[in-house]
Amino acid sequence: MPPADSRPVDNLDDDDYPAYTMGRAAEMLGTTPAFLRALGEHRLITPLRSEGGHRRYSRYQLRIASRARELVDQGTPIEAACRIVILEDQLEEARRINERLRTQGHESQPKTSA
């Protein structure tokens, strides 16, 4: 018997769980399904497919789509907006890796005595 304080994993708490249909995702972003399809064509996001073949989006994907929409709303062409968001994501990941390596480097350096 599981401990009393444990609870089953709730897929809706998972940022990567494909919980939203294309129509709902477009509604949440204030855009059209065609915009979401265009993001897929430009390889910014790749929605998972339901058993029936319908596109399903996660909260993480919707955040990325929202950032692209901001850029497009500011006049950036969709191709450029997608590339910018991809590069921003890659830069953030590189910064996280650098910080982790920097932290690990300080921990592994021998201490010198004065």
Side-chain angles (χ1 to χ4, degrees):
M1 188 160 157
D5 63 344
S6 71
R7 68 181 183 99
V9 175
D10 185 358
N11 286 335
L12 296 177
D13 287 340
D14 181 355
D15 265 0
D16 295 318
Y17 181 71
Y20 303 99
T21 63
M22 177 179 276
R24 180 68 181 128
E27 180 183 315
M28 290 170 68
L29 294 171
T31 189
T32 64
F35 178 78
L36 291 172
R37 281 192 295 276
L39 296 182
E41 290 168 11
H42 293 292
R43 300 178 190 212
L44 179 61
I45 56 176
T46 303
L48 292 176
R49 298 284 182 148
S50 68
E51 289 181 15
H54 300 284
R55 290 174 178 89
R56 305 284 296 193
Y57 296 88
S58 69
R59 286 189 301 191
Y60 174 74
Q61 290 172 322
L62 294 184
R63 283 195 301 273
I64 291 197
S66 176
R67 176 65 181 127
R69 167 128 195 256
E70 289 172 8
L71 291 168
V72 169
D73 287 350
Q74 294 170 5
T76 306
I78 193 165
E79 302 86 8
C82 290
R83 188 67 182 139
I84 289 167
V85 173
I86 289 167
L87 289 171
E88 287 175 340
D89 193 49
Q90 290 172 343
L91 177 59
E92 183 58 34
E93 178 64 17
R95 286 179 172 157
R96 280 193 298 270
I97 290 168
N98 283 340
E99 184 58 33
R100 187 182 68 228
L101 292 173
R102 198 173 291 120
T103 301
Q104 289 174 354
H106 288 298
E107 293 171 358
S108 64
Q109 289 180 355
K111 295 187 181 198
T112 58
S113 57

